[in-house]
Amino acid sequence: MSRSINRRNFLKLAAAAPLVGAGLRWAKSNVENAAPSNRPNVLLVVFDTLMARHMSVYGYPRDTTPNLNRFAQNATVFHRHYAGGSFTSSGTSSLLTSNYPWTQRSINLMGTVSQAFEHKNLFRIFGDAGYTRVAYTHNWMAAQLLNQFRGDINYWKPTRELALSDIEIADRFFGNDHDVALSAERVLTIPNTYGTGSLFLSPLQQAWSSHDDQQLQAKYQAQFPRGLPNSAQTTTFIIEDAVNWLQTELKQVSSPSFIYFHLLPPHEPYNPRKEFIGLFDDDPIVEPPKPLHPLGTDFDEIAENLARRHYDEFLAYADAEFGRLYDFMVREKMLDNTYVVFTSDHGQILERGTKGHTNPLLYETITHIPLMICAPGQTHRVDVQAPTSCLDVLPTLAQIIGQPVPDWTGGQLLPTFGGQADLDRTIYTVDAKNSPKQGILNQATVAMIKNDYKLIHYRGYEKGYTGTFELYNLKQDPEELTNLYSPNASTGNELQNELLAKMDQVNKPYQRT
Amino acid sequence: MNSTTDKFTPIVRESSRALSPSLARRLPSRQDTFHVLGACVIPVFLWSLLSFLNEVPGFALRLSLWDVIGMASYILAAALVESVLLLLPLLVISALLPARFFRNHFLAFGSAIAVITSLWIMYANYHTLDFSTWGVSEWLIGLALYLGSIAIALALMLRWKHVEEIVGSVVQRVSTLSTVYIAIGLMGILIVLIRNI
C-alpha cells in the first residue's frame, strides 16, 4: 500500500474534517450535560406590583396567598424588604443590577440602564458561572430591560409566544433598536392629549385589535367574566399559559440554570379567573382613614375599597397559579437542587386618594415588597426582621452559586445567606421619573429607611412640595399616619442630613462646575 | 415546452403590451399625482409632528439626541407610509371612473378628498372614537357625514370652475412644503434602516 495520500483521498479527508470536529464537539457537550452539576438551579419569580402588606403571608387579614403561605413554611421570609424604585423600570432595574436607580439611571418611565450597566446584571453573574439563562416577562417595560441585557441571556422567551394576543410591532421588526422603536410606537398608538400620533394606521390597528380582543373576550367570557388580564393595551394573556410553559422549561432546561420569570399580575387590570371574583365580598376590611395627599390623584374612598378588594382577588388568582407551579416542583423533586426566590419589583398605592404606582408617593404599600427564598431541601421557615433591599438579591445569589460578589453591587448579602442583620443600615427607594436620565435629580421623591424610621423627601414638585420631609416611626405607626418631622428634632435632623448628603453625592457627577 | 403553452404565450405577451399603456392612460399625470401626494402629506405629517413635539419632552429625559432623532425618524417614516396609503385609493378611483368624472379633475378632487378625509380622521382621533364598537346607525351617520362633505366639496368644484382652480392653485403652492415633508420622510426611512442594521 502506498504511504502517500493521493489528491482525491486528501480532498475526501479535508471534507470530512469539519464533520468530525462537529461530532467531537457534540459528544463533548453531551458528556458535559450528562454529568450531574453540583451547582443549584435558581428560579427567580417576580410578581409585578405586589404589596407585601396585602399578602396573608405577611399578616394581611384576607387569605390572599394561601399557596405562598405553604411555600413560606419551607422558606426564609424577609419581613422588611424594600423595592429600589416605585414602578417597573426603576424597580426591576434595581433588582437586576443591584444598584439604585440614581446609579444605574433607569429612573424614567420606559427607562433603561446606562451603558455602563448593560453588562452588570444578574444574567451576567450566572453566565460567568456557566449557567443556562432563561427569561420571560409579561411586562413590556421589563422586556425593555431584558432587551438591554439580551447579550447575557441564553433564551429570552418572547412575551407574545405565551400571550393570547399581542399588537406590539417594535420587537417584531425593529429588535435591534427596540427601545427607541418602542418609544415611537407608543407615541403613534397610545392616545395622548391630541389623540394618537398616527392618523390612519393607529385607528386601523385599534380596530383590528379591538375585533381580535372581542373575539378573545367572548371565547374566555365564562372563565374570565370581568375580562382577560392584559398589559396596557398591548398584550392579553392568562397566567396559566406562562406557568405551563415554565413547568415544561424546568424539566428540559440544561442544568445548572437561572430562570427569571416576571409575571404581570397582580398589576391592574384586576381580571381574575371566575372562582376568585367576589372572594372577599363578605370580608370587608376597614382601612384606617388616611389624609388625601396633595401630590395624589382624585380617587375616592369607595373606589379605593373596591380597588383593594379587586386587587386582592387578582392576587389570589396569581397565588393559585404559583401554587400550581410549586406543587409541580415538589412532585418532580426539583426543590432538592433549586433555589426558588419569590419577590416583586414594587408595590401599589391604593390609599390617600391615590391609585397606581406612577405617582410621586413612596408609602409602605409601594415600597414594602415580599422576598422569600426557599433553599434546596429547606424544610422549615425562617423569619428575618432586619431591613433588606432588592439590591441584596444579586450579591446573595452570586455567593450562593460560588461566584465572587462584584465590587459594583450596591447591596449586601442577605441575613442567613452569609450576611448579618443590620438594623442601622440605610435603605432607599427612589422615584425620579421626571428628572433627566443624565442630569441632576431636580424632581424626585426619596424614601429612606433606617432603624424603625422612614424619612420621605420631596424635591421639585408643584403645590409647594419641594424640600419637604415626612418622618414616620414604622414600628409604632406602620400605617404612616403621624408625621413626626420637625427640623428641630434630633432624629429627623440626623436622617435629613444623611439623606441630603446622599442626594448631593448622587447628583455630583451631573452638576456643572 | 408543450403545445398548449406554445399557443398561449404569444397571446399573453400581446395582452400585456395592450394592458400597460391602457393602465397608464387611466392614471393621472405624474405631476398631478405628486401634488395630490403633497395634499396627503401635509395633514398627516402635521398631525404626527404635533404628537411627537407634545411627547418628546418626556422622552428627551432619557433618550440621547441621536435616539430622539431616531424616534422622530420612525414617526416620520410611518407618516410617509400613511400618506402613500391615503393616496393609493385615490389612484384606484381615478383608474376606475371615467376620466371626465375624476381623472380630469384629479388635482383638485384628489386633494379635496385627501384633506377632508384627514380632517374627519383627526376629529375621530382627537375624540378617541372606537369604530369597532360602532353599530349600524353610527356607521350610517358617520358615512353620511363623511361622504356628504366630500360630495359637497366636489359639487362646488364642478359647479364653479373657479373653486376647482383655487383648490388646484393652493395645492400647487404648498408643494414646496410637501416636498420638504416627503424629503424628511425619506430621510426618516433611511435613518430607521441605519439604526436597525
Side-chain angles (χ1 to χ4, degrees), chain A residues 108-110 174 176-177 179-181 183-184 187 192-201 210 434-437, chain B residues 44 47-48 51 54-55 59 61-62 67 70-71 74-75 82 85 117 121-122 125-126 130 132 192 195-196:
Chain A
N108 311 109
L109 285 170
M110 295 180 64
F174 308 108
N176 288 345
D177 192 26
D179 188 22
V180 172
S183 302
V187 171
N192 54 46
T193 313
Y194 305 106
T196 61
S198 163
L199 204 50
F200 292 96
L201 293 177
S210 287
N434 293 321
S435 293
K437 180 172 182 169
Chain B
V44 171
W47 184 264
S48 294
S51 270
N54 187 53
E55 295 292 315
F59 287 101
L61 286 175
R62 62 178 185 88
D67 285 344
M71 196 175 141
Y74 282 101
I75 291 169
E82 282 186 288
L85 290 177
T117 304
I121 294 293
M122 283 179 189
N125 207 328
Y126 184 76
D130 186 356
S132 66
V192 165
R195 289 186 68 97
N196 282 277

Side-chain angles (χ1 to χ4, degrees), chain A residues 382-491:
Chain A
V382 176
D383 290 275
V384 174
Q385 302 294 341
T388 56
S389 168
C390 72
L391 273 59
D392 302 335
V393 173
L394 185 149
T396 303
L397 292 181
Q399 162 120 324
I400 280 171
I401 64 173
Q403 288 297 98
V405 175
D407 55 10
W408 46 259
T409 64
Q412 304 172 5
L413 294 177
L414 288 164
T416 75
F417 288 93
Q420 301 299 318
D422 182 2
L423 296 175
D424 281 331
R425 181 187 180 188
T426 305
I427 287 173
Y428 297 98
T429 306
V430 180
D431 174 62
K433 63 176 73 69
N434 293 321
S435 293
K437 180 172 182 169
Q438 300 297 339
I440 63 169
L441 303 184
N442 45 30
Q443 187 180 86
T445 312
V446 178
M448 184 173 104
I449 301 283
K450 196 176 182 83
N451 290 316
D452 295 331
Y453 290 94
K454 180 176 183 179
L455 182 70
I456 303 177
H457 173 50
Y458 301 87
R459 175 180 289 206
Y461 293 101
E462 297 169 348
K463 303 177 185 177
Y465 250 78
T466 185
T468 313
F469 292 88
E470 295 172 18
L471 177 66
Y472 303 99
N473 183 320
L474 294 178
K475 194 170 182 180
Q476 294 168 359
D477 177 25
E479 297 295 333
E480 298 164 291
L481 293 171
T482 306
N483 182 4
L484 302 172
Y485 179 74
S486 164
N488 301 320
S490 62
T491 303

Side-chain angles (χ1 to χ4, degrees), chain B residues 1 6 16 21 46 87 126 144 173 188:
Chain B
M1 194 186 288
D6 281 346
S16 311
L46 279 175
L87 175 71
Y126 184 76
R173 282 173 198 282

Side-chain angles (χ1 to χ4, degrees), chain B residues 78-155:
Chain B
L80 186 59
V81 169
E82 282 186 288
S83 304
V84 171
L85 290 177
L86 179 57
L87 175 71
L88 286 177
L90 299 172
L91 294 175
V92 170
I93 294 170
S94 170
L96 293 175
L97 290 178
R100 67 179 187 278
F101 289 138
F102 198 81
R103 192 165 67 253
N104 292 349
H105 311 273
F106 185 72
L107 178 60
F109 284 19
S111 303
I113 293 173
V115 171
I116 291 169
T117 304
S118 299
L119 289 173
W120 277 115
I121 294 293
M122 283 179 189
Y123 175 83
N125 207 328
Y126 184 76
H127 293 281
T128 56
L129 300 180
D130 186 356
F131 297 124
S132 66
T133 63
W134 279 16
V136 173
S137 56
E138 282 102 336
W139 275 109
L140 284 174
I141 294 169
L143 281 172
L145 287 171
Y146 171 62
L147 294 173
S149 57
I150 287 178
I152 291 169
L154 299 189

